[in-house]
Amino acid sequence: MSTSEEISALLVTRFGTDPETIRPEVPLRQLRLDSLALEELRLLIEDRMDVDLEDVVLSSRDTVAHLVEAVRSKVGA
């Protein structure tokens, strides 16, 4: 499963996000992710993908593509 597929799966299963709304250009706030939800998502990604995202700063203004790239950069590190 690719990084974007993993993140999409978490958004759908844990946050009830409609899969049709998860597109690279969509800001995370449009997926109804506030700062608390983003922190929960970060922890879920760390656990599921065995990656350390502690120094990754995310805001609800960031896009899905930004999140995926941030995770990819850590997976490859």
Side-chain angles (χ1 to χ4, degrees):
M1 199 179 265
S2 74
T3 302
S4 65
E5 289 171 335
E6 289 270 11
I7 292 170
S8 293
L10 283 171
L11 287 168
V12 171
T13 60
R14 297 297 186 108
F15 297 93
T17 306
D18 179 352
E20 297 294 314
T21 63
I22 305 171
R23 295 184 314 278
E25 72 280 3
V26 173
L28 297 170
R29 70 175 176 261
Q30 281 189 10
L31 302 179
R32 296 193 193 106
L33 296 176
D34 60 14
S35 58
L36 187 60
L38 286 173
E39 181 61 18
E40 184 180 348
L41 178 60
R42 185 179 68 79
L43 294 171
L44 288 167
I45 292 169
E46 284 184 336
D47 187 52
R48 186 161 177 171
M49 300 182 75
D50 193 31
V51 62
D52 182 5
L53 301 175
E54 191 170 324
D55 61 340
V56 172
V57 178
L58 293 172
S59 86
S60 61
R61 290 185 200 94
D62 290 324
T63 62
V64 172
H66 175 83
L67 171 61
V68 170
E69 281 309 309
V71 172
R72 276 191 190 135
S73 72
K74 294 298 182 176
V75 171

